[in-house]
Amino acid sequence: MLVFKTILNTKKQRRKYNGNKCGLIPTMGSLHKGHLSLIEKALKKDDDIWVSIFINPTQFNCEKDLKKYPKNFDEDLKKIKSISNKINVFLPTESEIYPKKIESSKFNMNNLNNIFEGTHRPGHFEGVLTVVSKLFKIINPNNAYFGEKDFQQLFIIKNWQKYKSIPVNIIASPTIREKNGLAMSSRNCLLSKSIRNEAGFIFKSLSECKKICSNGNEIKQKLLEDFNKHMAFKLNYVACIDTNSFLEINEFKKFKESRLLISASVEGVRLIDNIALNN
Ligand code: AMP
C-alpha cells in the first residue's frame, strides 16, 4: 500500500499506470464497513485503486461539526492494508486541496442543492462537488464509487457527471448497516452507546413504512408516531421521491422507482437514511 500526500506525486504515480483501469473511492476517513464495501467493489472491477481520505472543510456548513468530525488516519490505513496491499491512498492536507482559499466553486445543480439535505446544510453540496471535481482531476479515474446511504449526494454527482459529460463512471453501492439496522456512518461513534442502540428504530420504521403504508401522507404520519416514542430523536425531514426526477411524490406506488428519504438529529449528530419503496 502506498500513501501519497501531494498532488504532484499522486499524478506521477497515476501516470505510471495510465493504461490500467483506475477506481477511486472518495472518503473523509474514519473508515467503517460501508467504506470497505466500496473498496471491495472496486477491487473486483479495477486494477489501479485509489482511496482518498480528506475531511473536506467546504462541505461543512458548521465549524463545530467540522471540528468534532472523527479523525482516525492510522486506523484507516491499517484497515485499507488489511483488505489489499495494492491500494493507493491519497491523503492530502487542506492546503494541498485548497492552496489559495478554502471555498467552494459554483455549480448549477438545478435546485437539487436547495432541497432536503441542502435546506438543512446550506453550501454542503457545493462543497461536495468542489472536492469531487478536484479529486477527479487529480486521479483521473475510470470508475468512482459512492454509497447509496448519501442518496441525494449520489444523485447530484450522477447528474453533474452526465450534464458535464465527465468521463468517469459513477458506481453506486448499497448501504451497509450495523446489526440493529442503523446505517453505518463515521459519525455514529459520536453517539452514546444507548442512543446508538436505540437509533436502530429508524431503519425498522422505514422498513415498516415500506410494508404497510400506501402513500407519502401515511408514511409521514407513521414516522411522526414512531419518533414520538423516541423523544431524544428529532425528525428533520421525511420525503418520498421519484428516483428519476428527485421530486417529492405522495402516491409512490404509481412510480417505477421511488425512495423514502429521512434525516434525524440526536445528541447533536445528524443521521440520514433511505429505503427503496418499490422492490
Ligand atoms: P464519507 O466518508 O462519509 O464521505 O463517505 C464516503 C463514501 O462512503 C460515500 O460515497 C458514502 O456514501 C459512502 N458510505 C458512507 N456510509 C456508507 C454505508 N453505511 N454504506 C455504504 N456506503 C457508505
Side-chain angles (χ1 to χ4, degrees):
M1 184 182 71
L2 297 172
V3 180
F4 297 85
K5 297 202 168 171
T6 66
I7 294 174
L8 193 73
N9 287 341
T10 301
K11 284 186 170 174
K12 256 194 213 159
Q13 176 72 7
R14 272 292 294 132
R15 272 199 296 273
K16 275 197 215 161
Y17 298 95
N18 219 359
N20 283 2
K21 221 166 175 207
C22 174
L24 168 67
I25 303 101
T27 81
M28 297 207 295
S30 281
L31 302 183
H32 50 69
K33 285 184 184 153
H35 297 115
L36 304 187
S37 72
L38 301 180
I39 302 176
E40 302 271 11
K41 200 167 210 168
L43 275 165
K44 290 193 186 124
K45 265 179 129 38
D46 302 307
D47 315 299
D48 192 20
I49 293 157
W50 286 78
V51 176
S52 64
I53 302 179
F54 179 63
I55 302 177
N56 175 33
T58 59
Q59 71 188 71
F60 289 80
N61 58 308
C62 163
E63 190 68 26
K64 209 169 124 202
D65 192 25
L66 172 60
K67 278 217 173 92
K68 72 176 184 191
Y69 198 84
K71 294 171 194 70
N72 293 297
F73 301 131
D74 292 341
E75 275 301 305
D76 290 342
L77 296 181
K78 276 189 208 152
K79 284 182 187 165
I80 295 171
K81 203 169 173 184
S82 75
I83 301 187
S84 161
N85 211 11
K86 69 168 200 174
I87 296 170
N88 298 300
V89 181
F90 179 47
L91 184 61
T93 57
E94 266 185 13
S95 59
E96 191 68 15
I97 298 292
Y98 296 102
K100 288 191 188 125
K101 202 172 170 203
I102 298 182
E103 66 181 358
S104 295
S105 312
K106 301 251 179 303
F107 295 89
N108 177 1
M109 289 181 241
N110 284 327
N111 213 35
L112 286 164
N113 50 332
N114 296 321
I115 56 173
F116 312 132
E117 278 306 283
T119 315
H120 291 259
R121 307 176 71 186
H124 170 67
F125 290 116
E126 287 79 357
V128 169
L129 282 191
T130 300
V131 79
V132 170
S133 82
K134 282 174 185 275
L135 291 170
F136 281 10
K137 279 184 194 140
I138 297 164
I139 309 231
N140 190 23
N142 302 89
N143 297 318
Y145 297 81
F146 296 90
E148 285 183 352
K149 194 207 122 211
D150 299 279
F151 205 73
Q152 190 173 357
Q153 166 177 289
L154 174 64
F155 189 83
I156 285 176
I157 292 171
K158 274 186 178 168
N159 260 19
W160 164 73
Q161 178 276 337
K162 211 156 111 190
Y163 178 66
K164 292 278 182 191
S165 305
I166 293 162
V168 178
N169 297 316
I170 306 298
I171 299 179
S173 224
T175 302
I176 306 298
R177 301 180 177 282
E178 298 190 3
K179 267 202 196 108
N180 66 354
L182 176 65
M184 285 196 177
S185 161
S186 304
R187 286 187 171 91
N188 290 354
C189 68
L190 301 172
L191 300 173
S192 64
K193 204 170 163 207
S194 63
I195 286 290
R196 192 164 172 165
N197 283 337
E198 191 180 344
F201 90 88
I202 298 175
F203 185 61
K204 195 165 160 251
S205 193
L206 294 186
S207 307
E208 283 171 6
C209 284
K210 174 175 175 157
K211 227 190 214 165
I212 62 177
C213 297
S214 44
N215 61 46
N217 292 334
E218 284 180 22
I219 285 181
K220 282 181 186 165
Q221 187 58 35
K222 171 161 173 48
L223 280 167
L224 281 176
E225 284 164 17
D226 289 351
F227 270 78
N228 277 338
K229 293 178 203 146
H230 298 271
M231 294 303 279
F233 291 74
K234 177 178 167 269
L235 180 59
N236 296 324
Y237 64 82
V238 47
C240 300
I241 56 143
D242 164 13
T243 314
N244 293 307
S245 66
F246 226 84
L247 292 175
E248 189 161 2
I249 51 176
N250 191 37
E251 302 295 330
F252 58 82
K253 291 198 171 157
K254 287 187 189 156
F255 290 79
K256 231 167 105 191
E257 285 178 63
S258 54
R259 282 243 166 192
L260 171 54
L261 311 179
I262 192 169
S263 157
S265 298
V266 62
E267 295 185 325
V269 177
R270 286 179 62 80
L271 305 173
I272 54 170
D273 205 346
N274 64 81
I275 191 170
L277 284 170
N278 37 1
N279 63 18

